[in-house]
Each structure stands twice: as C-alpha cells, then as structure tokens.
C-alpha cells in the first residue's frame, strides 16, 4: 500500500514537472494526445487539412505558411490561400513531410479524426495540435484558442448568431430538403447529432427537414434510391451536383437526373421549387464564410426570410 502510494506521488510529480517544462501554453483537453504544449505566439503555422483548419486559419488571419492546397476544391478558398502566400504541402491524406520540414513551422494544426495515425511523425517536426471537436463552431473556438485569437473568433461567431437569429424568426413551419447528386447515386446528409456543418447551419436557422432527412442517432447520410426521392417532401429542394469536379460533366449529370420521371415526382420539383446550389458551399465547408453562404441560400430560396 505504501509502495503504491509512492508511485502515485511520483507520477503526479512527473506530470507536474512536464507541465512546468512547457515553454508556451499547455492544453489538457480538446486535442488528440493531450496535454499538448503549443507556442505562446505561433509565427509559422502549417495546417494539415483543406477544410476547417485552412478556411478558419485564413479567416482568423493566422500566420499560415503551409497547407495541402492540392486538395482544395473551393476556388474562393484557394484564391485566399494563394493571396496569403501559403505554400502547398501536397495532398491532404498524405502531406509531404519534406515540404513541411522545409517550411520550418513552429506549430502544426490538424484534425484528430484525419491525422491521428501520423501524429508521431508530425510532432517530430514541430508541436502538433490535432483538434478533436464535435462541431464546426467548437472547432473554430479551439483553433482560435490555440492561436491566441479567441476575441476575434467570438466577434465573428456573435455576428453569425445574430444573423441566424434573424432568419430563424421568419422561417416558420416551412420545410427544406437537400440532396447531393453523384455519378453513383444520391446522398442525403441528415439533420442529427453528427450532422455535417452546412446542415447544422440549417438547423441553427430554424429550417426544418423532412422525416426522411432527420435522425436521432449518429448517422451522417443515407443513400436513397430513385424510388425514395419522393420522401424528400420539403416544400423547397436544394440539390448539389457533385461529379468529378468538371463543370461540363456536372452539367451533363444534372441534365440526366432532372429529366428522369422519378425526379419529376418530387414535391418541390412538381411545384417549381427545386434549385441547384453551389458544390463549394455544401460540400467544402470551411468556416464562417461557408456558414454565411449557406444562409445566403436560405434567404434566396426560402420565401419570406430576410
């Protein structure tokens, strides 16, 4: 019993000493592998994904030196990254360690779900923070906290919340369905606990989805067959055409899909309330700007909103 108490005391002293040795700030939660020590004021940041971390880092004005630009499908986001002189570190799933080393980062930021398998490699290069957030707003707050930009993030989120509040007061009981059209079939991203960010924005704004598009578990999306499309019975239908990132191929896919008799049977199509929306907004969500583009679509296509 005395020996066990001694070891517990020893472990506590070691942990306390390790924390004291952190030359910056120690994060004990919200990150993969916590506690994680990060610089007080990072000056050369590399992000490992072209979605939340790249978009949010640019929105917060972080000193970004590298990102996997090869994987960026949002043209506006790519232009922002190029304008900020961000260097390409390759493909998001396997970024080039050599390019990252050459950039001499003092902080590497990634996503716990995407990058935890390579965590040991990244942290050999620089302090590495892999964010383990449940939703996009929590991710934004964590990134801001890591980089000393919490006040800026709070202002941006407050502006977003103000806008969704104004829209929510006018959405009423109207419903909206959202569908992704791909060369291999349909995807319906669900409103539920694990909803993808654009659909969280819909919920924030008070937009109701059909029963088929709603879940109480952690299912993210369904793959409906043609015969299931009538279950998407929202009075408004927004659809994204997502093929091989070539406009001509997407347009051809859209034409084939919308001429099908099963498509014509969808309630919103039959009433003339089906609208094709931009792929970047609904499939490449990357921060406050993306959230506002979703709200733009709500205001544009849901009658009576601001």
């Amino acid at each position: 019993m005395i020996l066990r108490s001694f070891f517990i005391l020893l472990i506590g002293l070691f942990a306390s000493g390790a924390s004291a040795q952190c030359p910056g700030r120690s994060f004990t939660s919200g990150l993969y592998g916590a506690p994680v020590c990060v610089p007080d004021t990072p000056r050369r940041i590399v992000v490992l994904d072209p979605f939340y971390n790249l978009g949010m880092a640019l929105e917060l004005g972080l000193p970004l030196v590298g990102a996997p630009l090869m994987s960026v499908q949002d043209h506006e986001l790519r232009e922002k990254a190029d304008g900020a002189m961000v260097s390409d570190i390759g493909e998001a799933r396997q970024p080039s360690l050599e390019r990252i080393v050459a950039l001499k980062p003092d902080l590497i930021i990634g996503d716990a779900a995407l990058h935890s398998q390579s965590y040991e490699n990244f942290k050999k290069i620089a302090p590495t923070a892999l964010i383990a957030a449940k939703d996009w707003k929590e991710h934004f707050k964590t990134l801001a906290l890591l980089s000393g930009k919490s006040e800026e993030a709070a202002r941006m989120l407050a502006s977003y919340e103000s806008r969704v509040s104004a829209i929510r007061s006018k959405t009423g009981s109207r419903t909206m369905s959202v569908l992704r059209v791909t060369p291999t079939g349909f995807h319906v991203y669900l409103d539920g606990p694990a909803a993808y960010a654009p659909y969280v924005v819909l919920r924030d704004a008070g937009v109701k989805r059909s029963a088929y598009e709603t879940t109480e578990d952690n299912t993210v999306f369904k793959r409906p067959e043609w015969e299931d499309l009538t279950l998407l019975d929202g009075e408004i239908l927004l659809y994204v055409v997502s093929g091989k990132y070539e406009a001509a191929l997407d347009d051809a896919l859209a034409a084939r899909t919308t001429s099908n008799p099963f498509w014509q049977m969808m309630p919103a199509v039959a009433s003339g309330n089906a609208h094709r929306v931009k792929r970047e907004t609904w499939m490449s969500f990357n921060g406050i700007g993306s959230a506002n583009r979703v709200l733009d679509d709500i205001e544009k296509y849901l009658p009576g909103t601001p």
Side-chain angles (χ1 to χ4, degrees), residues 4 36 81 85-86 88 93 97 136 146 173 176 237 298:
R4 182 173 180 273
V36 175
M85 304 299 288
V86 177
D88 186 18
R93 294 188 180 276
L97 296 179
W136 73 271
L146 280 170
S173 60
M176 179 179 284
L237 171 69
I298 295 172

Side-chain angles (χ1 to χ4, degrees), residues 43-304:
R43 291 183 171 82
R44 297 184 62 81
I45 297 175
V46 166
V47 295
L48 301 173
D49 66 89
F51 305 111
Y52 289 2
N53 284 316
L54 176 57
M56 293 174 181
L58 290 170
E59 288 176 334
L60 290 168
L62 303 190
L64 201 57
V65 296
L69 302 183
M70 184 184 297
S71 302
V72 176
Q73 301 297 341
D74 185 323
H75 299 300
E76 183 177 330
L77 181 61
R78 179 58 189 263
E79 289 177 0
K80 288 181 180 178
D82 289 340
M85 304 299 288
V86 177
S87 296
D88 186 18
I89 61 170
E91 203 274 328
R93 294 188 180 276
Q94 290 185 317
S96 168
L97 296 179
E98 292 80 6
R99 293 185 189 182
I100 296 174
V101 169
L103 291 170
K104 299 179 181 179
D106 57 8
L107 179 60
I108 297 172
I109 300 176
D111 179 271
L114 296 175
H115 305 113
S116 58
Q117 290 184 338
S118 300
Y119 177 66
E120 295 299 323
N121 291 330
F122 295 128
K123 76 174 188 177
K124 290 175 183 176
I125 301 172
T128 299
L130 303 184
I131 299 175
K134 295 180 180 179
D135 60 50
W136 73 271
K137 285 179 279 189
E138 184 182 340
H139 193 112
F140 190 53
K141 292 175 184 176
T142 304
L143 178 60
L145 189 61
L146 280 170
S147 55
K149 295 283 188 176
S150 291
E151 290 186 6
E152 291 88 337
R155 286 196 294 269
M156 296 168 77
L157 285 170
S159 178
Y160 163 79
E161 295 294 349
S162 177
R163 187 178 180 196
V164 296
S165 178
I167 294 174
R168 189 166 54 244
S169 69
K170 297 180 181 296
T171 49
S173 60
R174 283 160 299 187
T175 57
M176 179 179 284
S177 291
V178 188
L179 178 67
R180 180 188 182 193
V181 181
T182 81
T184 57
F186 302 108
H187 294 169
V188 170
Y189 285 79
L190 305 179
D191 179 13
Y196 177 40
Y199 304 92
V200 176
V201 175
L202 285 182
R203 186 196 311 152
D204 285 350
V207 175
K208 295 177 176 61
R209 309 278 298 285
S210 68
Y212 182 82
E213 300 167 79
T214 306
T215 183
E216 294 183 359
D217 62 26
N218 288 325
T219 304
V220 176
F221 68 91
K222 294 178 179 177
R223 299 177 183 270
E225 301 295 335
W226 281 101
E227 295 84 352
D228 300 320
L229 293 184
T230 54
L231 296 174
L232 280 74
D233 57 5
E235 67 176 272
I236 309 293
L237 171 69
L238 303 184
Y239 65 96
V240 182
V241 181
S242 178
K244 296 184 177 180
Y245 296 95
E246 294 183 29
L249 294 177
D250 281 359
D251 290 345
L253 174 60
R256 291 195 304 273
T257 302
T258 58
S259 63
N260 188 291
F262 281 108
W263 182 270
Q264 302 297 327
M265 293 169 62
M266 297 177 72
V269 174
S271 64
N273 289 310
H275 310 282
R276 181 177 171 184
V277 290
K278 291 183 178 179
R279 172 215 305 267
E280 291 85 355
T281 300
W282 294 87
M283 297 308 305
S284 299
F285 191 98
N286 53 68
I288 293 287
S290 294
N292 277 305
R293 287 194 290 273
V294 172
L295 297 179
D296 289 344
D297 281 345
I298 295 172
E299 291 183 340
K300 182 175 182 179
Y301 297 117
L302 196 63

